[in-house]
Amino acid sequence: MGNAKNARVEQEYSQHPFLLSVPQISEELGTNVETGLTASEASSLQQKYGSNKLDGEAGVQWYRVLFKQIANAMILVLILAMALSYGVSDYVEGGVITAVIFLNVTIGFYQEFKAEQKMDSLRSLSSPSATVLRDGSEQVIPSGEVVPGDIIMVKPGDTVPADLRLFDAMNLECDEKILTGEAAPVAKEVDPLFDGKDELSVGVGDRINMIYSSSTVTRGRGRGVATFTGMYTEIGKIADSMQGKQRKPNRSLSRRKGGTTQPVKGVILRIWDGVGKVLGLTEGTPLQKKLSKLAYVLLLCALILAVIVFGVNRFEVNKEVAVYAISTGIAIIPESLIAVLTITMVVGMTQMRKRMVVIRQLSALEALGGVTDICSDKTGTLTQGKMVTRQAWLPGVGLYSVNNSEEAANPTSGSVAFTAASRVKDTESIEENGTGNGDHEAVIGNEEKMGHNNDDLSEVTPELEKFLQSVALCNLATVRLDEKTKEWQTTGDPTEVALQVFAHRFGHGKTVLERSGWKQLAEYPFDSSVKRMSVIYDNGGKIQVFTKGAVERVLELCTKIGEGLNEVPMTGAAKNEIVDQMNALADRGLRVLAIARGTRDAHVHHNSEAPREDVERGLTLLGLTGLYDPPRLETKDAVSECKEAGIRVHMLTGDHPGTASAIAKEVGIIPRNLATLPKDLADSLVKTASAFDGMTDAEIDGLPSLPLVIARCAPDTKTRMIAALHRRKCFAAMTGDGVNDAPSLQAADVGIAMGMTGSDVAKGASDIVLTDDNFASIVHAIEEGRRMFANIQKFVLHLLGSNVGEVILLIAGLGFQDETGFSVFPLSPLQILWINMLTSSFPAFGLGREKTEPDTMKRPPHDNKKGIFTWQIITDMLVYGFLMGTCTLLTFVIIVYGVGNGDLGIDCNGSYSESCDTVFRGRAAVFAELTWLILISAWEIKSIRRSMFMLSPDSARRSPLSFFHDVYENRFLFFAVVLGALSVFPAVYIPGLNTNVFKHKGIGWEWALSFGAIGVFVAGVEAWKFTKRSLGLFEDEKVDQVEQYQEKTETV
């Protein structure tokens, strides 16, 4: 099944699944709608049916990668050099360059093809996921792992992972235009009548008990059995239509669409798209495109240098002049730059995957290090997402408190205490464990009594019973005891699980109530715009509406408070009392929800389409619940780390302001005592969405600080927050999980979707996905982004700095002219190739693997607009290159003109003769010296500002041996430098290889100059670093445009 290559067994049934009952489907597939497949069954079915993929999906095309390698600017220069060598009959040099081209293309192709495959597999981790029921518990798995027989749950925003036969649906509608072409969503039913019908007489769009792969859920919820996957789905049957790729604008060849010139324009633009894609100029991340453009700028520079060489030699292009032109052209090109970048990005993606972050857009790798602000949700991200109903307040009755509950899913864990107090604020001594000191307290449950034994309900008062009915039925979560493992299993949203567990403590769980006669008629799901959920149930002809949600949103629907003898009209005073109760609970860090119910006429029918506003009215408030969701243990440290890194954390939550403020104080987002701040600043830090949205842009921009906490947040509020941050020149990351979060995720510089709870729509709009929904993972991603950005700067500086040194040497070398008037190069073309391909490449790979520097998260964010080519990097490149070029030039001058007699021989660019002895010895010394300088510069570049001998800022490690410890820490780089340094000796001394290929010969006393230059170079670099540190050069570019805003909020 699935991909044809993986197909094992065809997916066939006695009849099409839409004609079969759910029990028949379950029997044919061997599945259980209550517990789903087991892990072993799923694995077996995966082997049997293959992956849930379409033919031709994804995959890296090897020929594109190969052509990209050949069309690389670096390779084009070598091809020109090869042609020129053969053109002047230098077959040895031409043959070596040919071999270098072959090896470079082969190695580059292998590395990039493997890297692209790795990136492809990492990207697939963020592809649409499926919520399945396996081994009795809810799991989120990649859609490709779905097998026939899986029980799938869908909700709004989900992409349906396979063709499903529904067995549970509530107000479920799906957008199936990708399949049927119909724009209107299709309403679904579980048991429509298909009597006397067959597969041919009922079209795909009319099979309303089926939902189809690749369609999107627009409303409601549902559960179904996966019947067809991969190429056996309806979308699989028309897979060809799914493989097409939309063209960019103005690419049409039709005169009707663009006039008479459109065919010509379309052809030209299509050619440019194709060429640009291959050359890396139109596709890829901003950094990849920037470096590709740099490569072609350097290609142009290589051609200009060649013209300069020809001009100095009066355009008399013979063999010697051509070879010198080849040398200068090769010298300016960093042949391994693109390959190093690709591998560094793969390493970065892999490291992030280990830290629970999946990169969807490669541009996010570059952007993460520049994030100045993180806008995060609270529940499940800053907090654990394991909620417990800690307290329940019933008006006129009292307060129920759950004590010592260690397991969020276990209704038998802990005990329940009851305090007969009319006001929560009269029981301020009630601590988080629920212990009270009211005038009457009775423990109505313990671990033994309040477990799954639901027979004894003597303590459940009528008021509490009504409250529990509403809590349990206005709820999509399930709680069940696995009879085999004796462990409690839950499915659903953590908030609803907490409420369902609370109802189970009293034997009033949803399954118990539905078995006793309660039948659901309709559902109005939670909506972030109204912040509440309602259901309609029928119990023996009595129609009841149950509602839960944000207190202020439910209060506006209520006309009464309390139940039975405690029922009173909703007055202004009563509403104020409830608000007091809400604030008292919220101030303890509890998430407060209101629970209400109402009675309706008996004409309501199943799947009622009555307007929401007609149903949610005239309700009676039954009480308030306080749910506690403890912050993750790592959140406080992560927030503190953000502050050190110059990153502001904003909490955007749907919770009550009191709850949000309490958690924000606990994790360190805002100070515990706001009174210590100036009043205008304190007032701006915590706002409700209504207050923030009610402000004009000018008023928001006038705030001393943007809010660090926004409560009762709506999706539009998030978008406004991003816009406000952008107006302050900030670079913002935004988290989201719902369908309505997609606009803010796209508006943010880095959109972050939740992998566990997020909808497929949110994931599709995001740049990265958190697989554990943990705020700390965002901080880890930023740290990894900064590491990768710094490493790219390091290897770019290493590669281009050495090229600058080579060009200085060769341009100055134009003045070394022999008796015939032709320039004699101080470095031969193959010496340059050896240095660029072997000496520079491997240390550059090593620099790309450098670990995070100790102070990485103690520096402000970098400026993404400047990118990697900051003034510091450009200046360092020139300084390092100047030192290399000057040292090697002086060495050549000393050997040829100082100790030697200045005789440059005849035809020393072409072959060895006695007259060329001095030149060949000078070249050997320069070759060894430049090799070592480039290698030692890699260790210097491990830190752009700190001394090579003090790479670790940790004073405890500063000792004579600390240098060796620091350079050995990166083993790859260490051995690249050591082995590269040793490779000089065979290159200098092997007979034939030295004189015929490299155009140099063995040396003696000249080694002293090469070794001595290392000390001069290191001293020069250390002096430059010391100057930067002492004068504070380039430190201002780290802080850049966000400095002014940070100064305003540093007191926070």
Side-chain angles (χ1 to χ4, degrees):
M1 143 65 247
N3 194 318
K5 295 179 182 179
N6 296 328
R8 298 290 186 276
V9 178
E10 290 198 10
Q11 297 168 16
E12 296 179 332
Y13 302 91
S14 56
Q15 296 183 80
H16 194 283
F18 82 90
L19 296 171
L20 298 174
S21 66
V22 174
Q24 289 174 317
I25 283 286
S26 301
E27 184 180 350
E28 292 198 25
L29 287 171
T31 190
N32 185 316
V33 297
E34 296 295 329
T35 61
L37 299 171
T38 65
S40 59
E41 288 173 340
S43 177
S44 175
L45 290 169
Q46 185 85 45
Q47 293 293 323
K48 179 178 179 182
Y49 293 119
S51 300
N52 179 30
K53 293 181 180 178
L54 301 179
D55 286 349
E57 273 192 356
V60 183
Q61 296 170 315
W62 65 268
Y63 52 87
R64 287 184 181 275
V65 177
L66 179 61
F67 192 65
K68 185 178 175 183
Q69 290 295 317
I70 297 172
N72 189 313
M74 322 300 183
I75 297 298
L76 292 179
V77 172
L78 292 178
I79 291 174
L80 291 174
M82 177 188 70
L84 205 51
S85 296
Y86 286 132
V88 296
S89 302
D90 192 339
Y91 297 110
V92 172
E93 194 160 281
V96 173
I97 295 177
T98 303
V100 168
I101 292 173
F102 176 78
L103 287 173
N104 202 36
V105 169
T106 302
I107 294 171
F109 167 75
Y110 175 79
Q111 288 175 329
E112 187 157 351
F113 185 65
K114 288 293 184 184
E116 290 287 349
Q117 286 183 317
K118 181 73 173 177
M119 281 193 274
D120 202 45
S121 65
L122 289 171
R123 284 193 201 101
S124 70
L125 295 172
S126 66
S127 61
S129 55
T131 304
V132 303
L133 191 65
R134 287 185 180 174
D135 290 316
S137 61
E138 232 175 70
Q139 299 179 26
V140 178
I141 63 173
S143 294
E145 295 179 12
V146 170
V147 295
D150 263 327
I151 305 302
I152 312 289
M153 281 75 77
V154 294
K155 61 184 184 301
D158 283 355
T159 299
V160 181
D163 287 1
L164 310 182
R165 167 64 165 92
L166 293 170
F167 62 83
D168 178 31
M170 185 55 62
N171 301 331
L172 182 63
E173 293 184 2
C174 294
D175 180 354
E176 297 178 349
K177 63 176 175 285
I178 194 173
L179 188 66
T180 64
E182 295 294 330
V186 180
K188 299 296 182 178
E189 293 182 22
V190 173
D191 294 312
L193 294 176
F194 290 122
D195 293 344
K197 302 290 181 67
D198 58 21
E199 188 175 348
L200 296 176
S201 61
V202 181
V204 170
D206 296 325
R207 301 169 188 174
I208 55 177
N209 59 356
M210 298 284 296
I211 57 176
Y212 299 103
S213 175
S214 300
S215 63
T216 305
V217 178
T218 58
R219 182 184 177 213
R221 60 178 176 82
R223 292 186 296 161
V225 184
T227 55
F228 295 113
T229 55
M231 294 304 291
Y232 290 92
T233 61
E234 292 298 328
I235 201 70
K237 296 175 183 176
I238 53 171
D240 288 342
S241 66
M242 295 292 292
Q243 301 303 319
K245 188 174 181 180
Q246 280 193 326
R247 291 192 180 278
K248 296 179 182 178
N250 297 319
R251 269 61 176 177
S252 172
L253 302 182
S254 171
R255 288 189 175 88
R256 287 187 227 167
K257 294 184 178 180
T260 55
T261 61
Q262 183 58 41
V264 176
K265 188 196 300 182
V267 168
I268 293 172
L269 289 175
R270 288 189 186 187
I271 292 172
W272 165 244
D273 288 342
V275 173
K277 181 177 180 180
V278 170
L279 300 183
L281 298 175
T282 58
E283 288 194 6
T285 72
L287 179 58
Q288 286 174 323
K289 288 189 280 190
K290 189 177 292 185
L291 289 181
S292 292
K293 290 175 183 176
L294 171 66
Y296 290 99
V297 169
L298 294 177
L299 171 60
L300 179 62
C301 291
L303 296 175
I304 292 172
L305 288 175
V307 172
I308 291 174
V309 171
F310 294 149
V312 170
N313 290 278
R314 302 174 299 281
F315 289 97
E316 296 179 15
V317 183
N318 60 12
K319 180 180 177 181
E320 290 201 3
V321 174
V323 170
Y324 205 107
I326 292 170
S327 300
T328 54
I330 292 174
I332 200 171
I333 297 293
E335 285 83 358
S336 56
L337 180 60
I338 303 300
V340 175
L341 175 66
T342 302
I343 291 173
T344 301
M345 284 190 158
V346 173
V347 171
M349 289 182 71
T350 305
Q351 289 299 318
M352 287 198 185
R353 178 69 187 95
K354 292 177 182 177
R355 290 188 159 200
M356 303 301 174
V357 177
V358 175
I359 302 297
R360 293 191 70 257
Q361 304 292 337
L362 273 177
S363 56
L365 280 172
E366 307 157 27
L368 278 166
V371 168
T372 62
D373 293 74
I374 303 173
C375 299
S376 174
D377 190 14
K378 176 183 78 69
T379 303
T381 306
L382 292 166
T383 61
Q384 295 180 20
K386 295 179 180 178
M387 293 193 179
V388 175
T389 302
R390 190 62 64 83
Q391 295 181 328
W393 175 76
L394 277 60
V397 177
L399 186 75
Y400 290 88
S401 303
V402 177
N403 305 328
N404 307 315
S405 178
E406 300 285 332
E407 303 173 55
N410 187 352
T412 69
S413 174
S415 60
V416 181
F418 172 65
T419 303
S422 61
R423 297 173 65 82
V424 173
K425 66 181 182 182
D426 291 337
T427 60
E428 290 296 338
S429 63
I430 297 176
E431 299 297 331
E432 284 189 348
N433 63 6
T435 305
N437 67 345
D439 56 351
H440 171 69
E441 183 181 89
V443 176
I444 62 171
N446 52 42
E447 292 189 8
E448 183 177 352
K449 181 178 177 182
M450 297 308 297
H452 52 278
N453 180 3
N454 301 317
D455 298 331
D456 184 2
L457 303 179
S458 58
E459 298 292 346
V460 178
T461 64
E463 294 88 353
L464 178 58
E465 183 176 14
K466 297 289 194 298
F467 180 86
L468 294 173
Q469 287 172 355
S470 189
V471 162
L473 295 175
C474 188
N475 197 313
L476 305 181
T478 65
V479 178
R480 61 181 290 273
L481 179 66
D482 190 303
E483 296 297 339
K484 293 181 180 178
T485 63
K486 299 302 179 184
E487 292 182 355
W488 288 90
Q489 297 178 332
T490 63
T491 63
D493 178 79
T495 301
E496 297 197 323
V497 168
L499 295 172
Q500 196 67 255
V501 168
F502 184 75
H504 272 71
R505 290 182 183 276
F506 299 88
H508 275 57
K510 185 175 183 178
T511 52
V512 174
L513 295 175
E514 289 185 338
R515 286 171 189 161
S516 66
W518 289 91
K519 182 180 179 182
Q520 186 171 355
L521 300 179
E523 176 183 307
Y524 297 85
F526 177 83
D527 188 310
S528 56
S529 60
V530 297
K531 297 190 181 302
R532 59 179 179 260
M533 169 190 178
S534 295
V535 294
I536 302 176
Y537 267 83
D538 177 9
N539 184 26
K542 189 176 181 180
I543 308 301
Q544 297 284 326
V545 175
F546 300 109
T547 300
K548 74 170 186 294
V551 177
E552 58 269 30
R553 296 302 182 90
V554 174
L555 273 183
E556 64 191 24
L557 310 175
C558 296
T559 57
K560 298 176 184 178
I561 305 173
E563 186 67 31
L565 297 175
N566 296 306
E567 183 177 293
V568 295
M570 176 70 75
T571 61
K575 187 174 289 188
N576 290 337
E577 181 180 2
I578 293 165
V579 171
D580 287 345
Q581 310 290 3
M582 171 186 68
N583 290 335
L585 291 170
D587 288 343
R588 296 173 191 166
L590 300 182
R591 183 181 187 186
V592 187
L593 297 179
I595 308 297
R597 69 182 286 155
T599 304
R600 292 291 174 267
D601 297 333
H603 68 269
V604 179
H605 56 82
H606 186 64
N607 278 347
S608 171
E609 294 292 334
R612 188 167 196 152
E613 57 271 19
D614 291 346
V615 173
E616 296 175 331
R617 60 180 175 78
L619 303 178
T620 299
L621 183 74
L622 300 179
L624 306 177
T625 61
L627 295 88
Y628 184 62
D629 183 14
R632 293 178 183 266
L633 298 177
E634 60 271 28
T635 296
K636 188 172 183 178
D637 289 341
V639 171
S640 176
E641 194 173 359
C642 284
K643 289 183 177 181
E644 282 192 296
I647 301 169
R648 292 168 296 277
V649 180
H650 306 258
M651 178 196 290
L652 278 61
T653 176
D655 281 344
H656 181 274
T659 307
S661 296
I663 297 296
K665 290 176 182 178
E666 192 171 347
V667 300
I669 292 177
I670 59 176
R672 287 191 175 273
N673 186 5
L674 292 175
T676 60
L677 302 177
K679 187 176 185 307
D680 61 339
L681 180 58
D683 291 343
S684 69
L685 294 185
V686 181
K687 288 191 176 294
T688 62
S690 57
F692 185 77
D693 292 338
M695 301 173 73
T696 64
D697 287 349
E699 289 173 331
I700 292 173
D701 294 342
L703 292 173
S705 168
L706 287 177
L708 297 183
V709 176
I710 298 184
R712 298 304 193 208
C713 187
D716 291 343
T717 312
K718 292 185 173 183
T719 307
R720 285 205 75 192
M721 184 65 168
I722 292 295
L725 287 166
H726 285 165
R727 290 196 299 275
R728 298 195 182 210
K729 308 300 182 186
C730 298
F731 202 80
M734 172 68 77
T735 68
D737 55 9
V739 179
N740 294 334
D741 289 330
S744 61
L745 291 174
Q746 289 182 323
D749 300 291
V750 180
I752 305 170
M754 302 295 108
M756 297 172 68
T757 60
S759 67
D760 288 333
V761 171
K763 292 176 188 176
S766 69
D767 300 300
I768 67 176
V769 177
L770 304 183
T771 59
D772 61 352
D773 293 6
N774 190 342
F775 177 81
S777 295
I778 302 175
V779 182
H780 294 156
I782 291 174
E783 182 181 13
E784 185 61 30
R786 289 189 177 192
R787 182 197 71 84
M788 197 195 74
F789 185 88
N791 288 353
I792 290 174
Q793 283 189 317
K794 290 174 185 177
F795 71 65
V796 167
L797 171 58
H798 179 260
L799 290 172
L800 295 183
S802 61
N803 290 141
V804 170
E806 291 168 13
V807 170
I808 289 174
L809 176 63
L810 289 172
I811 292 298
L814 287 171
F816 302 138
Q817 296 186 339
D818 60 17
E819 296 176 8
T820 60
F822 291 109
S823 298
V824 177
F825 47 65
L827 271 182
S828 72
L830 296 184
Q831 283 179 318
I832 295 170
L833 271 180
W834 178 278
I835 291 171
N836 286 2
M837 294 298 297
L838 296 178
T839 304
S840 294
S841 297
F842 291 108
F845 285 126
L847 287 170
R849 299 162 66 98
E850 274 286 282
K851 70 171 190 176
T852 306
E853 293 185 56
D855 61 346
T856 293
M857 293 300 283
K858 295 179 182 177
R859 299 195 295 254
H862 61 249
D863 187 349
N864 277 303
K865 290 183 179 177
K866 293 180 181 177
I868 60 171
F869 291 103
T870 62
W871 283 114
Q872 179 170 209
I873 294 298
I874 293 171
T875 308
D876 283 355
M877 195 184 302
L878 296 175
V879 170
Y880 282 50
F882 174 78
L883 288 171
M884 289 181 193
T886 303
C887 287
T888 51
L889 185 62
L890 286 174
T891 295
F892 190 79
V893 169
I894 290 171
I895 294 172
V896 175
Y897 293 96
V899 178
N901 57 8
D903 183 10
L904 294 173
I906 299 174
D907 190 27
C908 293
N909 289 350
S911 60
Y912 175 76
S913 64
E914 288 295 328
S915 64
C916 295
D917 186 76
T918 304
V919 171
F920 271 51
R921 295 171 73 87
R923 279 188 196 139
V926 167
F927 168 72
E929 180 179 316
L930 185 58
T931 298
W932 291 338
L933 296 187
I934 290 173
L935 292 172
I936 207 71
S937 73
W939 282 347
E940 283 283 7
I941 293 170
K942 278 172 71 73
S943 176
I944 293 176
R945 299 185 70 83
R946 284 195 300 274
S947 167
M948 177 174 69
F949 304 102
M950 293 291 184
L951 289 172
S952 173
D954 184 1
S955 58
R957 274 180 49 190
R958 292 180 181 176
S959 68
L961 296 177
S962 63
F963 166 75
F964 298 101
H965 179 278
D966 290 335
V967 297
Y968 188 65
E969 214 165 24
N970 184 339
R971 304 283 178 85
F972 187 97
L973 178 59
F974 177 81
F975 285 110
V977 171
V978 171
L979 295 177
L982 294 176
S983 70
V984 166
F985 297 102
V988 169
Y989 285 114
I990 294 177
L993 180 68
N994 53 7
T995 53
N996 295 332
V997 176
F998 289 117
K999 305 293 192 294
H1000 64 216
K1001 65 172 292 186
I1003 54 178
W1005 65 268
E1006 292 90 350
W1007 285 114
L1009 292 176
S1010 300
F1011 280 114
I1014 296 175
V1016 175
F1017 175 77
V1018 170
V1021 172
E1022 291 294 327
W1024 168 238
K1025 286 184 176 181
F1026 178 77
T1027 303
K1028 287 196 294 183
R1029 293 194 303 270
S1030 301
L1031 301 180
L1033 299 179
F1034 307 112
E1035 284 187 347
D1036 57 328
E1037 70 182 14
K1038 292 180 181 178
V1039 181
D1040 54 61
Q1041 75 268 33
V1042 303
E1043 183 180 44
Q1044 195 173 21
Y1045 177 38
Q1046 253 179 327
E1047 285 177 355
K1048 290 184 178 181
T1049 58
E1050 63 184 358
T1051 53
V1052 180

